[in-house]
Amino acid sequence: MRLDRRGMRALLRSDEVQQMLARKAEAVAEQVEASGIRVDGKPGRVALPVTVETSAGEGRARSRVILDHPAGAAVEAKHGVLTSSIDAARSA
């Protein structure tokens, strides 16, 4: 049996898959926000900004959870908020 490549690509890029990925990414983002990490911003210390992006790529849909701050990489290195929040996607 051979898989239909066009059919698989259509499935992996479908609205339903994008919605499922967005739901899981939002659950991760909520967990990151619940960690309460604050960063320098205007005015003063602000909650770590988290952004979720979902799109259909050429071959499949994808979602990204972004620590949307110049110190985002340093925050992840120090606290591991994205890494520790990934389990939230399992139940979403």
Side-chain angles (χ1 to χ4, degrees):
M1 181 168 98
R2 291 172 84 156
L3 292 176
D4 176 7
R5 289 182 181 264
R6 282 189 215 150
M8 290 302 296
R9 187 177 312 115
L11 173 67
L12 292 172
R13 298 181 77 230
S14 70
D15 288 340
E16 292 84 359
V17 170
Q18 288 182 57
Q19 291 168 7
M20 183 258 316
L21 290 174
R23 201 172 46 251
K24 290 181 177 292
E26 287 292 341
V28 171
E30 288 174 13
Q31 187 74 24
V32 170
E33 290 169 345
S35 71
I37 294 176
R38 301 184 69 73
V39 292
D40 290 332
K42 295 204 189 251
R45 305 280 287 168
V46 297
L48 177 65
V50 181
T51 304
V52 173
E53 293 179 357
T54 302
S55 63
E58 186 176 323
R60 66 187 65 197
R62 66 185 117 224
S63 271
R64 301 187 316 161
V65 179
I66 303 162
L67 302 180
D68 203 5
H69 188 273
V75 168
E76 177 60 20
K78 182 176 180 180
H79 300 284
V81 291
L82 287 172
T83 304
S84 63
S85 298
I86 196 70
D87 284 338
R90 292 179 198 256
S91 60

